């Protein structure tokens, strides 16, 4: 991450000069040399529930967030990606799960394959898009997955 240095006022007596320097002491540090694909893999690994969506956030992403929040009380991390970053997500997902989606048939049904957006991951495993999330929820598989990654417990889940 870039650190911010504070300096005395400029010659006209107004303002602050900022100096950006590389630091690794912060847990929020961003390695500017990290590739987009590696950053996406790191985000998938660091967040138990993460949704990757196109920038700006699409309506399907809002539906996914609402379903998670209202039905099981989970707040997912939502990461908005630019078009070039979506290609890196596709490459990362293809490496992680052999090029096939997990948890649903979005690839075959929608023809979207790995480029389907929004894309949701639970515990580092690709769930898929909105259709896969809804299917997982209706089949009763969503809560056990969330319990498995420690996001919810059966004690605080109300049917």
């Amino acid at each position: 991450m870039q650190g911010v240095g504070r300096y005395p006022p400029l010659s006209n007596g107004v303002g602050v000069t900022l100096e950006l320097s590389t630091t690794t002491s912060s847990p929020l540090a961003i390695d500017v040399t990290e590739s987009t694909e590696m950053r996406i893999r790191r985000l998938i690994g660091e967040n138990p529930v993460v949704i990757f969506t196109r920038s700006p956030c699409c309506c399907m992403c809002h539906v996914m967030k609402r379903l998670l929040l209202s039905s099981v009380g989970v707040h997912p991390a939502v990461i908005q990606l630019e078009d070039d970053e979506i290609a890196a997500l596709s490459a990362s997902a293809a490496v992680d799960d052999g090029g096939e989606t997990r948890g649903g048939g979005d690839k075959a049904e929608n023809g979207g394959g790995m480029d389907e957006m929004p894309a949701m991951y639970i515990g580092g495993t690709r769930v898929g898009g909105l259709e896969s999330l809804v299917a997982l929820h209706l089949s009763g598989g969503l809560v056990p997955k969330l319990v498995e990654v420690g996001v919810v417990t059966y004690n605080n889940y109300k049917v």
Side-chain angles (χ1 to χ4, degrees):
M1 180 166 190
Q2 310 247 336
V4 178
R6 186 175 180 102
Y7 292 89
L10 300 174
S11 60
N12 62 3
V14 181
V16 175
T17 303
L18 300 177
E19 178 184 296
L20 299 177
S21 61
T22 304
T23 179
T24 58
S25 61
S26 170
L28 300 175
I30 297 173
D31 184 358
V32 292
T33 61
E34 182 179 42
S35 71
T36 303
E37 185 176 325
M38 289 305 297
R39 186 171 60 248
I40 287 171
R41 285 186 185 182
R42 182 176 49 78
L43 289 167
I44 291 169
E46 290 175 352
N47 296 286
V49 181
V50 63
I51 298 171
F52 290 98
T53 184
R54 292 186 188 277
S55 184
C57 202
C58 68
C59 62
M60 290 185 296
C61 176
H62 291 293
V63 172
M64 291 173 86
K65 290 189 307 185
R66 189 70 183 157
L67 181 126
L68 288 166
L69 182 60
S70 65
S71 65
V72 289
V74 171
H75 295 272
V78 177
I79 312 292
Q80 293 184 9
L81 301 176
E82 300 297 327
D83 287 337
D84 59 327
E85 295 170 319
I86 291 170
L89 174 65
S90 297
S92 176
V95 168
D96 289 342
D97 55 32
E100 295 183 24
T101 58
R102 294 182 186 176
D106 289 336
K107 183 174 182 177
E109 292 170 12
N110 297 340
M114 301 313 290
D115 294 329
E116 183 193 13
M117 296 300 283
M120 183 173 154
Y121 289 78
I122 297 176
T125 302
R126 183 179 173 90
V127 171
L130 177 58
E131 287 182 22
S132 292
L133 175 61
V134 170
L136 186 63
H137 181 55
L138 292 176
S139 70
L142 179 59
V143 172
K145 278 190 174 293
L146 295 172
V147 168
E148 183 180 316
V149 298
V151 178
V152 297
T153 62
Y154 281 115
N155 295 339
N156 67 5
Y157 179 71
K158 295 179 176 115
V159 179

